């Protein structure tokens, strides 16, 4: 059972009654430091890949970790609140670098630009917090930008305002803005998103798009280099190389969605830092030349911090996974049936095992080769699109990395420390100076990565997320809808 007590300093209060007020104030500050809590007794996974600390103790002052160690070795400040986590496991909160939040209706799962409001965006950030995410980098957001042919889109600036806020019970929000693509080849999946990226068809337009784009100070510039199976044209090498050159002139990173090995080599040589999905897909695999370019960039310290999202997705998850109470805390049974009912109806043990074999093959021949060459795997789940339930898709992505070939410890590091570093957000580890963002679990995920679902509590910036209140809010909406 969790136990919360307050340590008393033992100071003789009566002795201070008649001293000067300065002395009284000093004594008060020493006896009851503002916002200091010590969490004790848990198995602690710090997020750096080291062995867990058994019977740990860590101190949170206001919104940061200050001391991390073993219970009995950590000196607890007088007056600190003590929280007993004996029997629990603690891990850092996760970070998602590839979200598409804001467009989806919170109850029925439909998507539209009209849903991209501050209220809906915050609801999505709260859902991410419920699953133990401390931050998300959202891609293809609805932000006013030049259409390059005169006029503006009149989409407003909701993402630019929300990224400046610290919202209770919500993950931090960062935005990449709209992205850049050949018209119709960018954000797909739903018509509401297809016209969002800058539509460019010439090198001149590509440079002009970057010059307008940088005004919003995005986390990175997203480009799509994909002909969508031959349905459309894609950015040509002269166009995407101009985008990269222009972006780097403003010291803004570029992250790519591309498919072919040939494009991957040109993008890698040009200094692209991130890949949303695998850099090489659809039957092609990284060859020695591409792996050599990665190693050469690292050796030369030429934008060496390269990362990618494996895109392990949800396909290798079983029917039992989709019946998990964690998902059903946040999504109504009706919406689950509407969005993935057909997929679940066709799912068999053989189809699940086949998907897991394909995932292991992809890991061996593709993702793990890139990782061995020096790229970092980071969490990017495409969450927020139809069928990509907010928070849940990131959870399954993390789990499927272990099926792909990572150890549970490696998967946790990738989803926490490495993802936070790629996003340049001060989270992702239980370490002094980091934001106090962590998950309290009822089981040890180093034994089974699926135990990362067994969430007891989530703390963001040192405060417990009101998961019960959020759950009640969402479920009340389902009931209201079902009775109307």
């Amino acid at each position: 059972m969790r136990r919360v007590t307050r340590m008393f300093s033992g100071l003789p209060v009566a002795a201070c009654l008649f001293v000067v007020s300065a002395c009284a104030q000093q004594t008060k500050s020493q006896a009851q430091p503002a916002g200091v809590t010590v969490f004790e007794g848990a198995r602690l996974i710090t997020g750096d890949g080291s062995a867990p600390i058994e019977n740990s103790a860590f101190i949170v002052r206001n919104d940061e970790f200050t001391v991390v160690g073993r219970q009995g070795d950590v000196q607890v400040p007088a007056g600190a609140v003590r929280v007993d986590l004996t029997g629990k496991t603690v891990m850092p909160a996760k970070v998602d670098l590839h979200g598409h939040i804001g467009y989806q209706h919170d109850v029925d799962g439909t998507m539209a630009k009209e849903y991209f409001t501050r209220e809906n965006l915050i609801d999505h950030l709260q859902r991410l917090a419920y699953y133990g995410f401390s931050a998300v980098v959202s891609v293809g957001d609805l932000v006013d930008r030049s259409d390059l042919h005169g006029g503006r889109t009149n989409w407003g600036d909701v993402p630019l305002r929300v990224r400046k806020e610290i919202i209770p019970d919500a993950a931090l929000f960062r935005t990449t803005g709209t992205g850049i693509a050949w018209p119709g080849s960018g954000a797909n999946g739903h018509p509401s998103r297809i016209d969002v990226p800058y539509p460019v068809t010439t090198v001149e337009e590509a440079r002009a798009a970057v010059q307008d784009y940088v005004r919003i100070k995005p986390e990175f510039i997203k480009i799509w280099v994909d002909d969508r199976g031959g349905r459309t044209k894609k950015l040509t090498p002269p166009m995407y190389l101009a985008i990269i050159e222009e972006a780097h002139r403003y010291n803004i990173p570029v992250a790519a969605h591309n498919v072919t090995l040939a494009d991957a080599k040109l993008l890698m040589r040009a200094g692209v830092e991130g890949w949303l999905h695998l850099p090489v897909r659809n039957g092609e695999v990284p060859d020695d030349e591409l792996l050599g370019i990665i190693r050469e960039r690292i050796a030369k310290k030429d934008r060496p911090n390269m990362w990618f999202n494996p895109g392990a997705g949800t396909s290798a998850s079983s029917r039992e996974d989709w019946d998990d109470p964690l998902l059903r805390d946040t999504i109504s049974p009706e919406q689950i049936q509407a969005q993935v009912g057909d997929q679940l109806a066709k799912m068999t043990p053989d189809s699940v095992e086949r998907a897991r074999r394909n995932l292991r093959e992809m890991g061996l021949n593709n993702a793990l080769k890139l990782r061995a060459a020096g790229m970092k795997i980071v969490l990017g789940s495409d969450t927020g699109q139809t069928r990509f339930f907010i928070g849940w898709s990131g959870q399954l992505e993390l789990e499927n990395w272990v099926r792909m070939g990572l150890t549970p410890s490696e998967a946790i590091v990738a989803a926490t420390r490495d993802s936070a570093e790629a996003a340049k957000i001060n989270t992702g580890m239980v370490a002094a100076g980091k934001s106090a963002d962590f998950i309290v679990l009822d089981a040890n995920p180093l034994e089974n990565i699926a135990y990362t679902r067994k969430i007891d509590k989530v703390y963001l910036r040192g405060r417990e997320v009101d998961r019960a209140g959020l759950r009640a809010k969402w479920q009340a909406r389902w009931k209201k809808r079902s009775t109307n």
Side-chain angles (χ1 to χ4, degrees), residues 188-205:
N188 276 216
H190 192 272
S192 62
R193 301 170 57 239
I194 288 177
D195 65 344
V196 170
Y198 288 89
V200 300
T201 57
T202 68
V203 168
E204 292 72 26
E205 286 183 342

Side-chain angles (χ1 to χ4, degrees), residues 67-87:
V67 181
V68 177
R70 195 175 301 277
Q71 193 173 19
D73 295 340
V74 170
Q75 184 174 355
V76 179
V81 172
R82 301 186 85 142
V83 178
D84 184 358
L85 298 180
T86 300

Side-chain angles (χ1 to χ4, degrees), residues 237-352:
M239 292 168 64
Y240 63 67
L241 293 176
I243 291 169
I244 297 164
E245 181 182 64
E246 197 72 18
H248 288 171
R249 217 164 53 83
Y250 292 95
N251 200 31
I252 292 180
V254 177
H257 162 130
N258 78 280
V259 176
T260 71
L261 178 61
D263 283 324
K265 290 176 181 177
L266 289 175
L267 292 163
M268 184 65 72
R269 285 197 178 98
V272 165
E273 287 94 330
W275 270 265
L276 300 131
H277 307 296
L278 287 165
V280 185
R281 294 183 276 159
N282 289 6
E284 290 190 287
V285 297
D287 63 9
D288 290 342
E289 183 182 3
L290 178 63
L291 299 176
I293 298 169
I294 295 168
R295 295 187 184 103
E296 183 180 12
R297 274 182 55 180
I298 293 170
K300 292 183 175 179
K301 295 183 170 55
D302 176 17
R303 299 182 183 271
N305 298 316
M306 293 166 279
W307 52 267
F308 69 100
N309 307 147
T314 66
S315 62
S317 301
S318 67
R319 191 186 305 275
E320 290 74 23
D321 292 325
W322 285 93
D323 284 337
D324 194 276
L326 180 62
L327 169 64
R328 294 169 188 273
D329 282 350
T330 62
I331 303 294
S332 70
E334 293 77 13
Q335 189 180 156
I336 295 171
Q337 178 60 33
Q339 294 198 37
V340 297
D342 290 346
Q343 173 186 333
L344 294 176
K346 297 173 184 176
M347 188 180 290
T348 66
D350 285 346
S351 70
V352 171

